[in-house]
Amino acid sequence: MSQLDLTSQALDIRPRPRLQYQALEPRALKSGFLTGLTWLAALLAAVPLFSVIYMLLIQGGTRLFGADIAEVLTGLPPAGFEMGGGIGPAIVGTLIMVGIASAISIPLGILAAIYLGVLDSTSKIAKTARFLAKVLTGFPSILAGVFVYAVIVIRFGYSATAGGVALAVLMLPTVVLAAEEAMSQVPQRMKDAAYGMGCTRTQVIWKVVLPTGLPGILTGVMLAIAGASGESAPLLFTALFSNYYISELAEPTASLSILIYNFSGMPFQNQIELAWTASLVLVLIVLVFNILARILGRPKV
Amino acid sequence: MEKLFQAANTSGSISGPPSAREYFNDRLFRSIALTSAFLIIVLVAYILWEIGREAMPAIGEYGLGFVTGTTWNVSKGEFGVLPEIWGTLYSSLLALLIGGVFGIAIAIFLTQDFINHRLATVFRTVIEMLAAIPSVVFGLWGIYVLIPLLKPGAEWLHDSLGWFPLFGTNLSGPGMAPAALVLAIMILPTVAAISVDAFRRIPYKVKEAAYGMGTTRWEAILKVMLPTASSGVLAALVLGFGRALGETMALAMLIGNANQISLSLFSPANTLASLLASNFPEAGRIEVQALMYAALVLLAITFLVNVAGLAVQQYTIRKFEGKK
Amino acid sequence: MHKASVLKTALAAGFVSVFALSSTAHADDVKLNGSGASFPFPIYSKWFKDFSKANDGIRVDYQSKGSGAGIQDLINHTVDFAASDAAMKDKEMAQVEEGVVLLPMTAGEVVIIYNLEGVDELKLPRAVYPEIFSGKITKWNDPKIAEANPGVDLPDETITVVTRSDSSGTSFVFTGHMSNIDEAFKESVGQGKAPNWPSASNFVAAPKNDGVTAQVQQNQGSIGYVEYGYAKLTGWKQVAMLENKSGKFIAPGPESGAAALASAQFPEGTLPNSDVPNLIAWVWDPAGEDAYPIATFTWMLFYKDQDDDKAAALRKMVAYGIEEGQKIADSMGYIPLPENVREMVLETAEYIQ
């Protein structure tokens, strides 16, 4: 600012604002303070995650990566006071029930998404179904168990199938909404080009929409699977638990999450260690599906 | 020209009208898709009908007294879920208070240029991993890490500030505080993710305009960005609240399953979802009906909250995309 | 095009793998599923594991869910057998169309465990423990407790009472005993599998015997009731001595438990509307001088009529429990059944057809 500036005289009447940044000004201090708080909040929010991971590795890892890894991964759960034992039936049970849930919810979910996203996205049925799917994502997972108990368990008893159906109820809305989102991202021009060549809508869907939307659909599917693997409330009184390997779908079935729940409240050190080990395995399974979701969802360019 | 066209048609060239078979397949596939979409509606209706039907006798028997009653006594046939409704709302509100503040702070942290892109990705991964950890694992962590950690602090608060209702009792192990904290951690990713979305929807010009007027970063955030994103943030909070209401396992493991109403953060309590989890497997005919009624109450509460959240979220999306 | 076929293959593979699994089931094995009481769970799980190992083709799986849950599962026909420390009420038996057979399989004591640093011996008079569990005594240094424990340094701390969150036979026995000796307790809490515990901030509930044991062991200042085996197997030394009918303070153990059960009288006759002998007997307040005051049999519940293979396997299982099983009872904190009771059980097991 030159003193010789001709306009300066006229402006001298009013105090000139100081435009450069001043670190000690109250508003700057306040801003800095809030920035510090935000950093603190972000770092604090990361603490539980690292604490959980630390506990999983220390408490569960020593057992899992120890000398008796084969027994831990394949052995039967120990009786109340026994030493040793493993979580084999629970791993298999979780995978099978998630498999059943996937076999039901993925085809059904993708088909429904095709209707919602491509065939008739503004019809009354589509709007209602979409709304209900969104409501279902916020549906308390235990109510899926209550529902399946009333419909299946009362008539046919506890079974892997009942557990799978309960998980399917929870997976369905995730699959539907993710698949619909993925398919609605497919450019209209691509579809138009296919219609222009005389394709039926079905052909457009199978040959254009599905292949193009596949990464997004797979991401949704993997996330749904990851979520279902970690669920416990809907299995509590549908699949129950078992101390043996599953041999048919119509019998009570073990799962990792229920094993953790059961063992977490036991007064025996061996069981508590196994609960941590099972938690580590469960988190690893969930993570694998989460990572798959990321890899598959990456646009292939 | 005409010859060429015919040749194209008969030799199965890439373009041409659909054959009768293709036409039939198309019809079939479309009706299958329609049926699938319709099944979602049927499923929700079936869930409502099934739970409602099972609850009907209890609704007839206890009426609204069920919602205001405070005892759950199977042998006398007295059922009331007021303590559970209280516990559900209280734990969820506490969780929302903590998880909400942290979730919004993190959303601001991730979207308002505090850190570079790479570091933001790391933080986002951390939050997403938090969302991926199963409820039971948090329950286990709560029992063996959080409760022992909270106990000395809780004891001190109760001893020195025991007159204050929030610290009116001592933490004897499981209770409201550990349950609400774990719940807060569990809804944090939901709140953060939806809030991030809300901040991202604000056109960049808005922030530039604020900075151009000489605001500090936080003046821009508090006076411009946050109000602009407010409806989206509200949606995040409401949906996070909805998630907290229905959470079951971690709570069943940490809240202490006590049928009582207390303001104290350290006293054990119960929630509708953990009432279902602990009583359902062994309930007799009469109790199952009462539990179905409780499930219906839970369903109604979460339904209302979720629909409210979705409506606010929809409003936000329309607000920005409509004005573009 | 290519991607679409990948998707199709993936879906098909998913279906195939699920259905392939269902076809690998072995049809010839007899699988027995049971559920119920957590009170005898440690010993049952040991029995069933050994029994299944010894008998090729029979597999017994028992879920410890609480007695109430076991009875409910039996009524709902979701299991092959159940277990309960509260036996079964007449009304419940009437709900099982094919009739039931109830067999006492082992016996145990309900003990009061506590967690107080430095207090290794705690005596609880008959007038005191019902008051703790009905919420009238809330401090460890309450004069009534102090009076019975001279020289013990009791802290000025709230007593955290850990009860069962589920429907439990252990609760039924424990509250049954206290209702018998304390009129006020009977009025306020009463006897039941899920009794009416007071709504007080010092009452916490935990699932099953395991949960109560863990809860007490993790939290200083708490008290709870569990089967003796849970204290014994976890090596927990803080178990209260209770005053019995003759005024002596008795610690739980095999001798004092057997002394309590010695006075048990099985009723003559049969279960209601059935020809099955009635093997339900209670000892609410044993009179013996050395008897521990709270002891009970625990029952397995069977259908009277089911498919022949299962019935044969169930009878085999009962025989194993009575012959081999009783040998380990003592080491696991249970009371072996007296000789005459074993004979009655084996005879009555023949009604399982």
Side-chain angles (χ1 to χ4, degrees):
Chain A
M1 299 281 155
S2 157
Q3 300 252 318
L4 296 170
D5 192 336
L6 287 176
T7 57
S8 66
Q9 270 184 333
L11 287 173
D12 267 347
I13 311 156
R14 282 177 292 177
R16 178 185 286 249
R18 296 169 66 191
L19 290 176
Q20 59 271 67
Y21 179 72
Q22 289 164 302
L24 291 177
E25 197 188 13
R27 40 201 288 264
L29 282 178
K30 187 180 155 202
S31 190
F33 174 69
L34 286 171
T35 302
L37 271 189
T38 314
W39 268 96
L40 192 70
L43 293 176
L44 263 180
V47 169
L49 178 71
F50 289 111
S51 170
V52 169
I53 292 177
Y54 174 81
M55 289 301 284
L56 286 177
L57 290 178
I58 296 298
Q59 299 276 354
T62 39
R63 187 76 175 258
L64 183 61
F65 303 121
D68 50 356
I69 175 165
E71 196 196 346
V72 169
L73 287 179
T74 59
L76 302 180
F81 50 91
E82 271 183 335
M83 293 316 287
I87 55 173
I91 298 178
V92 175
T94 291
L95 293 178
I96 285 176
M97 284 189 281
V98 171
I100 296 171
S102 306
I104 299 169
S105 65
I106 294 172
L108 194 64
I110 292 180
L111 282 170
I114 287 172
Y115 183 80
L116 299 188
V118 190
L119 285 177
D120 208 353
S121 59
T122 52
S123 72
K124 233 179 195 142
I125 290 185
K127 278 184 181 159
T128 319
R130 190 178 301 121
F131 173 75
L132 290 179
K134 280 185 187 166
V135 171
L136 266 186
T137 52
F139 183 67
S141 60
I142 187 140
L143 292 183
V146 172
F147 166 67
V148 171
Y149 182 89
V151 175
I152 300 181
V153 176
I154 286 184
R155 281 163 218 163
F156 305 106
Y158 303 109
S159 66
T161 319
V165 172
L167 291 181
V169 171
L170 294 173
M171 280 177 71
L172 186 64
T174 318
V175 175
V176 171
L177 295 176
E180 191 208 340
E181 174 76 21
M183 284 189 277
S184 65
Q185 304 281 326
V186 176
Q188 186 61 36
R189 274 180 292 176
M190 284 175 76
K191 288 185 264 181
D192 287 345
Y195 284 130
M197 289 193 292
C199 287
T200 62
R201 274 184 270 189
T202 303
Q203 286 166 328
V204 173
I205 287 162
W206 277 100
K207 305 207 162 140
V208 178
V209 177
L210 277 181
T212 320
L214 194 62
I217 297 176
L218 286 177
T219 303
V221 165
M222 290 303 148
L223 288 178
I225 293 179
S229 327
E231 275 295 350
S232 34
L235 299 178
L236 203 55
F237 37 85
T238 53
L240 202 61
F241 192 74
S242 160
N243 290 311
Y244 299 93
Y245 278 100
I246 181 173
S247 59
E248 58 174 321
L249 292 181
E251 66 180 20
T253 305
S255 58
L256 283 169
S257 47
I258 301 297
L259 180 134
I260 298 167
Y261 177 64
N262 285 348
F263 281 9
S264 70
M266 284 202 183
F268 308 106
Q269 197 52 41
N270 184 35
Q271 265 78 353
I272 294 169
E273 270 177 31
L274 276 179
W276 282 108
T277 313
S279 300
L280 179 60
V281 173
L282 183 59
V283 168
L284 286 177
I285 292 177
V286 173
L287 275 188
V288 164
F289 284 112
N290 266 302
I291 292 168
L292 274 180
R294 275 158 188 263
I295 294 173
L296 295 171
R298 211 168 280 159
K300 294 182 181 73
V301 183
Chain B
M1 188 68 187
E2 196 164 279
K3 211 174 181 182
L4 195 82
F5 201 87
Q6 276 174 351
N9 233 345
T10 46
S11 67
S13 153
I14 56 166
S15 63
S19 65
R21 202 191 134 113
E22 284 171 329
Y23 188 74
F24 174 75
N25 282 347
D26 180 46
R27 270 299 173 83
L28 182 70
F29 179 74
R30 274 159 55 194
S31 36
I32 293 176
L34 172 66
T35 316
S36 305
F38 198 65
L39 271 177
I40 297 178
I41 303 174
V42 173
L43 176 69
V44 175
Y46 191 31
I47 291 174
L48 283 177
W49 188 74
E50 192 70 31
I51 296 180
R53 188 180 61 111
E54 298 276 336
M56 223 39 192
I59 297 175
E61 179 96 4
Y62 315 114
L64 279 179
F66 186 74
V67 184
T68 54
T70 55
T71 48
W72 188 276
N73 188 334
V74 183
S75 47
K76 286 192 190 146
E78 282 173 28
F79 299 103
V81 289
L82 192 62
E84 282 74 21
I85 294 178
W86 162 259
T88 305
L89 294 177
Y90 193 40
S91 62
S92 301
L93 271 176
L94 287 172
L96 187 64
L97 209 64
I98 307 164
V101 167
F102 275 86
I104 296 171
I106 283 164
I108 291 173
F109 186 69
L110 289 177
T111 54
Q112 303 302 313
D113 314 316
F114 279 88
I115 43 178
N116 65 33
H117 183 68
R118 187 160 297 195
L119 202 56
T121 315
V122 173
F123 260 100
R124 200 166 305 126
T125 313
V126 166
I127 301 300
E128 278 171 16
M129 275 179 76
L130 210 52
I133 290 180
S135 177
V136 269
V137 177
F138 274 123
L140 188 66
W141 178 77
I143 296 176
Y144 293 102
V145 180
L146 194 59
I147 291 181
L149 201 70
L150 286 178
K151 272 183 110 174
E155 202 164 305
W156 182 80
L157 280 172
H158 174 60
D159 287 347
S160 44
L161 294 167
W163 51 269
F164 192 57
L166 288 184
F167 311 125
T169 60
N170 205 353
L171 185 68
S172 54
M176 186 55 85
L181 270 176
V182 163
L183 209 48
I185 297 169
M186 295 180 71
I187 65 167
L188 188 146
T190 308
V191 176
I194 304 176
S195 303
V196 162
D197 200 43
F199 280 110
R200 287 251 170 83
R201 281 182 192 278
I202 303 175
Y204 206 71
K205 281 182 276 184
V206 173
K207 193 177 2 180
E208 280 175 348
Y211 282 148
M213 290 173 72
T215 60
T216 63
R217 179 195 273 166
W218 274 95
E219 282 164 353
I221 292 171
L222 292 177
K223 298 197 174 131
V224 179
M225 305 304 284
L226 201 54
T228 316
S230 60
S231 60
V233 171
L234 183 65
L237 292 176
V238 178
L239 290 173
F241 188 60
R243 190 118 313 167
L245 291 172
E247 179 47 51
T248 313
M249 294 314 270
L251 285 181
M253 292 160 88
L254 295 171
I255 204 161
N257 304 310
N259 195 41
Q260 57 157 329
I261 300 176
S262 164
L263 260 182
S264 170
L265 294 177
F266 306 134
S267 102
N270 207 356
T271 69
L272 284 168
S274 50
L275 174 83
L276 289 173
S278 52
N279 290 40
F280 208 93
E282 68 224 14
R285 193 75 214 124
I286 306 292
E287 199 185 1
V288 162
Q289 290 164 356
L291 285 169
M292 286 288 178
Y293 194 177
L296 210 58
V297 173
L298 176 62
L299 191 64
I301 297 177
T302 48
F303 181 80
L304 287 179
V305 171
N306 278 310
V307 168
L310 288 174
V312 181
Q313 194 180 31
Q314 210 56 44
Y315 166 78
T316 320
I317 294 172
R318 226 174 285 138
K319 185 169 105 185
F320 288 108
E321 298 192 341
K323 276 185 192 167
K324 236 180 219 171
Chain C
M1 171 104 196
H2 184 67
K3 281 178 190 162
S5 63
V6 171
L7 186 72
K8 271 188 224 168
T9 326
L11 289 182
F15 274 120
V16 169
S17 60
V18 167
F19 289 114
L21 252 163
S22 50
S23 63
T24 54
H26 310 283
D28 3 329
D29 288 359
V30 179
K31 273 174 295 192
L32 302 173
N33 288 310
S35 73
S38 63
F39 180 97
F41 175 67
I43 191 167
Y44 282 2
S45 62
K46 175 86 178 143
W47 286 0
F48 297 152
K49 214 168 181 177
D50 293 350
F51 176 71
S52 302
K53 229 179 268 170
N55 289 275
D56 225 15
I58 304 181
R59 208 189 78 176
V60 188
D61 196 9
Y62 179 75
Q63 296 304 319
S64 142
K65 296 166 73 184
S67 300
I71 294 172
Q72 205 51 47
D73 280 345
L74 195 78
I75 292 173
N76 290 343
H77 291 86
T78 50
V79 290
D80 301 309
F81 68 96
S84 160
D85 332 313
M88 251 176 129
K89 287 185 199 149
D90 294 355
K91 213 169 71 188
E92 290 162 343
M93 288 187 237
Q95 289 178 51
V96 183
E97 260 172 41
E98 55 267 71
V100 289
V101 179
L102 270 67
L103 304 175
M105 293 302 291
T106 185
E109 295 147 276
V110 178
V111 304
I112 293 180
I113 53 171
Y114 61 96
N115 183 343
L116 274 183
E117 225 180 308
V119 180
D120 290 329
E121 201 184 280
L122 184 71
K123 289 178 180 151
L124 294 178
R126 287 161 83 77
V128 169
Y129 57 87
E131 294 200 352
I132 294 178
F133 282 89
S134 53
K136 280 187 203 144
I137 297 178
T138 58
K139 287 279 183 192
W140 277 110
N141 60 355
D142 190 284
K144 283 184 186 163
I145 304 178
E147 200 183 321
N149 295 279
V152 177
D153 184 21
L154 293 162
D156 177 22
E157 259 181 58
T158 307
I159 305 177
T160 302
V161 181
V162 185
T163 64
R164 290 281 291 267
S165 64
D166 52 342
S167 168
S168 142
T170 314
S171 299
F172 180 80
V173 173
F174 186 56
T175 53
H177 165 73
M178 290 195 293
S179 296
N180 235 279
I181 62 169
D182 187 314
E183 200 55 37
F185 183 90
K186 192 177 179 182
E187 289 300 310
S188 66
V189 181
Q191 177 181 19
K193 290 191 287 262
N196 185 25
W197 299 114
S199 307
S201 70
N202 67 324
F203 274 67
V204 185
K208 302 189 283 175
N209 271 289
D210 313 83
V212 174
T213 313
Q215 196 78 261
V216 171
Q217 296 185 356
Q218 283 159 13
N219 296 295
Q220 155 84 7
S222 50
I223 193 167
Y225 57 96
V226 293
E227 206 287 322
Y228 177 53
Y230 283 83
K232 179 165 175 156
L233 293 170
T234 54
W236 193 252
K237 296 280 180 285
Q238 298 190 322
V239 179
M241 293 166 78
L242 302 186
E243 185 188 0
N244 68 8
K245 201 170 189 175
S246 55
K248 270 176 81 176
F249 285 96
I250 302 289
E255 296 83 20
S256 54
L261 287 178
S263 61
Q265 280 295 323
F266 286 101
E268 308 272 316
T270 62
L271 296 174
N273 304 320
S274 163
D275 54 348
V276 181
N278 184 349
L279 295 184
I280 304 176
W282 304 103
V283 265
W284 293 123
D285 194 16
E289 198 167 306
D290 297 317
Y292 181 78
I294 321 173
T296 181
F297 292 108
T298 178
W299 289 264
M300 281 193 197
L301 324 173
F302 304 91
Y303 297 114
K304 214 180 139 196
D305 186 25
Q306 57 236 296
D307 103 61
D308 289 349
D309 290 345
K310 275 190 179 168
L314 286 169
R315 287 195 302 269
K316 219 167 165 183
M317 178 182 97
V318 171
Y320 178 89
I322 294 301
E323 282 151 14
E324 296 298 314
Q326 301 301 318
K327 291 179 192 158
I328 59 164
D330 192 21
S331 69
M332 299 196 57
Y334 293 85
I335 308 165
L337 294 177
E339 195 63 45
N340 63 328
V341 179
R342 291 186 209 184
E343 274 163 29
M344 287 197 305
V345 171
L346 286 178
E347 278 164 28
T348 313
E350 292 306 313
Y351 286 89
I352 306 172
Q353 287 300 332

